[in-house]
Amino acid sequence: MNDALIKEFEAIVGKENVMHAEADRQAYSYDAAVLEPVVPDLVVRPTTSEALGKTVRLCNENALPITPRGAGTNLSGGTIPGRKGVVLLTNSLNKIIEINEQDMYAVVQPGVVTAKFAAEVARRGLFYPPDPGSQAVSTLGGNVAENAGGLRGLKYGVTKDYVMGVDFFDVNGELVKAGSRTVKCVTGFNLSALQVAGEGSLGVINEIIFKLVPPPAANKAMMAVFDSIDKASETVAAIIAGKIVPCTLELMDKKTIELVEAFTKAGLPTDAAAILLIEVDGHPAQVADEAEKVVEIARRIGAIDVRAASSDAERNKIWEARRAALPALARARPTTVLEDATVPRSQIPTMIRAINRIAEKYNVTIGTFGHAGDGNLHPTILCDRRDKEEFKRVEDAVDEIFEVALSLKGTLSGEHGIGLAKAKWLEKETSPATIAYAKKIKAAIDPKGILNPGKIIGA
Ligand SMILES: Cc1cc2nc3c(=O)[nH]c(=O)nc-3n(C[C@H](O)[C@H](O)[C@H](O)COP(=O)(O)OP(=O)(O)OC[C@H]3O[C@@H](n4cnc5c(N)ncnc54)[C@H](O)[C@@H]3O)c2cc1C
């Protein structure tokens, strides 16, 4: 990029917020997906809304591709700068603008870290439920752009269920305002919805209005231990069929249990074939009743042990162990391929059997954990990308996992997004007309194709 243009960016955001050294650009060439890095031409970090809009405008005037980026934790290549250009960091726009306790909403900038926001909301006696495993570092802008889910998705839904409005910059750098602070709003098209799961390809998010809810009065966490993964997955289906909606219903298979226990020493039963980690919440009487029913169902289906946390410390231990699943698996081999193909939850037993069959067929190591209550499993393939023969088997295994998920009327991605990683698969789940329709929207909104090019619908 020429010096004159770099100076124009510096005039907007300040010299200290424009990075063009090779080492800086390398640092923004990849994200948490297992994909080839692409080094951008420039990295720009606006610290005000005004500077964000002006940066977008300058990129557009110069037809420079823009890759918006929060914390870069997405798992689908959403922040790999497909056509180089500018990586636009929104993590310095990190103010909680308002938390309104009376009307139960909050207004935030996109760079606020998810867990910090949830903690501040909790301090005010309210609750922001979406809790992606990456919440300690992920940003709310990234959460909206990926429609992030989390451990509480089964009962409380995902990010989109809390988005009341989004202000975003269009490709010309003009501020588009959508949604409102009211519970009801039907003023115009639902433009906020275009930004949810839009992966930064239809606008750059500047501010978000989130719905907040009252926190549950009580909760109870339990661990059910099984000698067969079939029994664990049947228990998931039976709990839901029993009209109980736990706030969290998570599964770990044997491989995951062993690696998590080695990592955390949380006291997980390493001789078990699978465990379910379950939490019910709500009014204390309802919690007691539902916990009793969950225990009864798990025992009836064949749990060899069901343990309930008797203190907050024990409860935290259970959830810390679950949150350690991915880091624990990632320690085992150099490369971790984490998928999130999702099926209707009644199909969980079939999906898990298929994943195990695929692991055997391609001779790959797969640890499976995930949000079993949502049908959202994370089969995680442990491998070494540098071993080309092994990695080819991994890619074939992933393709077959997607085939099975779609044949069970599931979806390619429950929460990790499409990005670059799954764009080639999109038509299989949808239809040629769906892709053509999406491309028409994209072309109308972004005629030069510079907003996060290549993501979701391909080039
Ligand atoms: C250990 C680990 C655990 C995870 N657990 C979960 C989980 O439980 N649930 C889940 O859903 N995901 C999970 N993820 C994936 C990831 O954390 C989420 O997708 C998260 O929402 C990404 O947030 P981010 O700030 O890192 O966004 P980034 O990765 O920086 O960006 C994600 C997408 O959002 C776009 N974007 C970012 N900011 C803006 C903006 N201001 N305007 C427009 N577009 C923007 C980017 O261009 C990109 O397409 C996990 C990832 C890791 C590494």
Side-chain angles (χ1 to χ4, degrees), residues 388-405:
K388 291 204 165 52
E389 188 278 325
E390 183 189 32
F391 203 67
K392 172 77 177 69
R393 282 185 279 117
V394 170
E395 288 176 328
D396 290 346
V398 169
D399 283 353
E400 200 160 323
I401 288 172
F402 287 153
E403 294 277 8
V404 175

Side-chain angles (χ1 to χ4, degrees), residues 32 70-76 111-118 128-144 146-152 159 319 322-327 338 369 371 378 415-416:
T73 65
N74 78 89
L75 291 152
S76 49
V112 175
V113 169
T114 315
K116 277 195 185 157
F117 174 60
Y128 176 70
D131 58 343
S134 50
Q135 61 179 345
V137 287
S138 72
T139 66
L140 291 167
N143 292 169
V144 171
E146 294 286 358
N147 189 18
L151 271 64
R152 301 192 187 104
T159 304
W319 297 122
R322 164 57 186 87
R323 288 192 187 283
L326 183 54
L338 174 72
F369 66 99
H371 321 297
H378 293 314
E415 56 184 20
H416 293 167

Side-chain angles (χ1 to χ4, degrees), residues 256-426:
T256 311
I257 298 167
E258 284 168 1
L259 289 168
V260 170
E261 184 54 23
F263 185 38
T264 64
K265 309 275 181 282
L268 299 185
T270 46
D271 51 345
I275 54 175
L276 289 179
L277 304 175
I278 309 158
E279 181 162 305
V280 288
D281 71 357
H283 185 278
Q286 177 199 355
V287 168
D289 181 52
E290 289 190 347
E292 201 177 301
K293 284 188 181 139
V294 165
V295 172
E296 186 274 314
I297 291 170
R299 291 222 164 100
R300 174 162 49 79
I301 293 186
I304 47 180
D305 190 15
V306 188
R307 304 171 198 172
S310 57
S311 63
D312 276 354
E314 273 187 39
R315 172 178 177 252
N316 289 341
K317 223 172 172 183
I318 288 183
W319 297 122
E320 272 163 28
R322 164 57 186 87
R323 288 192 187 283
L326 183 54
L329 286 161
R331 284 175 0 132
R333 296 286 310 277
T335 311
T336 312
V337 177
L338 174 72
E339 286 308 337
D340 80 326
T342 302
V343 293
R345 54 194 161 215
S346 59
Q347 299 294 345
I348 287 260
T350 315
M351 188 67 203
I352 288 186
R353 278 193 289 273
I355 292 169
N356 291 339
R357 180 182 49 70
I358 291 166
E360 258 182 47
K361 178 173 167 187
Y362 293 99
N363 187 24
V364 290
T365 305
I366 306 186
T368 299
F369 66 99
H371 321 297
D374 315 339
N376 182 193
L377 297 172
H378 293 314
T380 306
I381 311 186
L382 312 178
C383 56
D384 185 346
R385 198 175 181 206
R386 294 163 300 186
D387 179 340
K388 291 204 165 52
E389 188 278 325
E390 183 189 32
F391 203 67
K392 172 77 177 69
R393 282 185 279 117
V394 170
E395 288 176 328
D396 290 346
V398 169
D399 283 353
E400 200 160 323
I401 288 172
F402 287 153
E403 294 277 8
V404 175
L406 294 184
S407 75
L408 295 173
K409 305 260 179 289
T411 181
L412 294 171
S413 175
E415 56 184 20
H416 293 167
I418 299 299
L420 293 174
K422 295 182 194 165
K424 69 171 177 162
W425 276 88
L426 201 59

